[in-house]
Amino acid sequence: MNEDAQVSTLKRLRMRSWRRGIKEMDLILGAFADHHLSALGEDDIALYDRLLSENDHDLYAWCSGQQDCPSEYSELIEKIMKDSRAL
């Protein structure tokens, strides 16, 4: 991915992280995006993009441990929640 495309993608993902359907996910994902998005590799950015397409209520249930998350997201959710607990 060229640099301009990467900057555009990161900007779009950061916006989508802060403009969720429920405020709890705004705070969790927005903070993660602000602190860690630019350090992710291309594969993790693509995975994060797919994660943002998931339903907010499902995301919250996965992040809060109320439900098991799909295995493809488990490491990413773990990183997100580790960041969230550090704030």
Side-chain angles (χ1 to χ4, degrees), residues 17-18 26-36 83 87:
S17 297
W18 277 108
D26 289 353
L27 297 172
I28 292 169
L29 295 176
F32 177 80
D34 285 351
H35 293 113
H36 300 285
D83 180 66
L87 295 175

Side-chain angles (χ1 to χ4, degrees), residues 6 10 36-48 79:
Q6 185 175 11
L10 293 178
H36 300 285
L37 201 56
S38 61
L40 296 179
E42 272 190 54
D43 291 342
D44 286 335
I45 289 172
L47 181 62
Y48 187 75
K79 285 180 189 177

Side-chain angles (χ1 to χ4, degrees), residues 36-78:
H36 300 285
L37 201 56
S38 61
L40 296 179
E42 272 190 54
D43 291 342
D44 286 335
I45 289 172
L47 181 62
Y48 187 75
D49 195 6
R50 287 193 305 275
L51 180 75
L52 293 181
S53 297
E54 298 288 345
N55 178 285
D56 272 347
H57 293 286
D58 292 337
L59 286 171
Y60 186 75
W62 301 338
C63 288
S64 65
Q66 295 172 3
Q67 292 179 355
D68 291 336
C69 70
S71 60
E72 71 177 304
Y73 298 130
S74 60
E75 287 183 37
L76 182 55
I77 293 289
E78 189 175 311

